[in-house]
Every structure is written in structure tokens, then in C-alpha cells.
Amino acid sequence: MKKATAAMKKSDSGEAEGGASPSQLIDARIEELGDWRGEVLARVRALIKQAEPEVVEEWKWRGVPVWERSGIICTGETYKSAVKLTFAKGASLQDPSGLFNSSLDGNTRRAIDFHEGDEIDEEALKVLVRAAAALNMSAKAAASRKKSSG
């Protein structure tokens, strides 16, 4: 017997089983939250798309919104008291505006915890998203060059 979460697995076509796309699942999550967390998740999602129009939305790990471009840019998890935007390679990014305020001890990831009533520095967030996408694309290009020269 399959677990209920199997209905959210992605197929090879990028559509979740049952016909819902990752974007539709993210829409549903935002609506399901119905409070400030949904508003924050919707706002950061819009900013990510503005910053990186080529971004691909995914739905992974039993219900985590993920934004990718040549690899994971960031994830958007929701908790009781925070919306956490975790940048997969955040430790490698410049953060001149000091947005990162969580997961600061790790060697790879960095996160931004948004709490109820927090202001979002929209321009700084877009700069961070663009930098994360550029880092992914440069890493992919370097791997491609290494592969073709080997």
C-alpha cells in the first residue's frame, strides 16, 4: 500500500502524480497557510521569479518548495514562527546586506529566517538570488569544460 505522500512525487515530466505541477503545489501551500507565513512565502517567491525569470519551481522532500537554476538556488520552508529561505550554496555567496541570519555555522548552506512583521529587503534578496543562480551556472559550466577536456 502506498503512503499518501506518494501522491506528491514528481514524475519525469516535472508534474506531480495526480496532475498537480510543482507550481500548483506551491500555490496550494501558500493558500493552505492562510496567514502571514503564506504572505511571506508568496512575496519571496515573487521576488525570486523577478530576480531570476528562468527559475524552475520544484516540490521536493515531501512538500518543500524549491527554486532551481542549474542547481538549487534556495528552498522555502514554513514553520510555526518563521519562513526559512535556505540557500543551498549560501556560504559561498557574498551577503553585503547581511540578510543571512540562520544556519551560519555550516560550510555550505545559509538561511534567512523571516518572522511575522519582518520587513523584506527586496533588492538585497534579489541580488542574493541572482548571485546564487550565477554561482550554479558557473559551477555547471566549469564541470562541463572539465568533462570535455578530459
Side-chain angles (χ1 to χ4, degrees):
M1 184 155 88
K2 289 186 177 180
K3 291 183 178 177
T5 55
M8 290 188 185
K9 278 187 182 169
K10 280 194 324 155
S11 68
D12 292 337
S13 69
E15 296 248 332
E17 290 176 17
S21 70
S23 293
Q24 290 168 325
L25 292 167
I26 295 169
D27 289 341
R29 168 64 49 83
I30 289 166
E31 194 170 315
E32 166 192 310
L33 289 165
D35 61 10
W36 68 269
R37 297 170 302 164
E39 293 170 14
V40 169
L41 187 59
R43 187 68 200 133
V44 296
R45 177 193 200 188
L47 293 168
I48 291 165
K49 289 177 171 185
Q50 286 172 23
E52 202 54 52
E54 303 284 316
V55 74
V56 174
E57 293 188 316
E58 295 290 350
W59 184 259
K60 296 185 178 187
W61 309 298
R62 294 186 179 165
V64 176
V66 178
W67 292 276
E68 299 184 351
R69 176 130 193 238
S70 298
I72 294 175
I73 293 173
C74 61
T75 63
E77 298 161 279
T78 51
Y79 299 97
K80 189 182 271 188
S81 65
V83 173
K84 181 182 285 286
L85 213 55
T86 302
F87 284 75
K89 297 177 184 172
S92 299
L93 300 174
Q94 295 293 317
D95 181 23
S97 298
L99 293 181
F100 291 133
N101 61 10
S102 183
S103 306
L104 302 175
D105 296 335
N107 294 330
T108 308
R109 292 185 297 276
R110 291 288 182 272
I112 306 167
D113 284 357
F114 297 101
H115 298 94
E116 189 170 8
D118 284 354
E119 288 289 318
I120 298 173
D121 184 338
E122 296 184 357
E123 288 309 311
L125 181 59
K126 289 196 269 189
V127 166
L128 215 49
V129 168
R130 286 186 199 108
L135 179 62
N136 285 351
M137 290 185 287
S138 68
K140 190 172 186 176
S144 175
R145 282 193 301 274
K146 188 175 182 181
K147 199 176 204 179
S148 64
S149 68

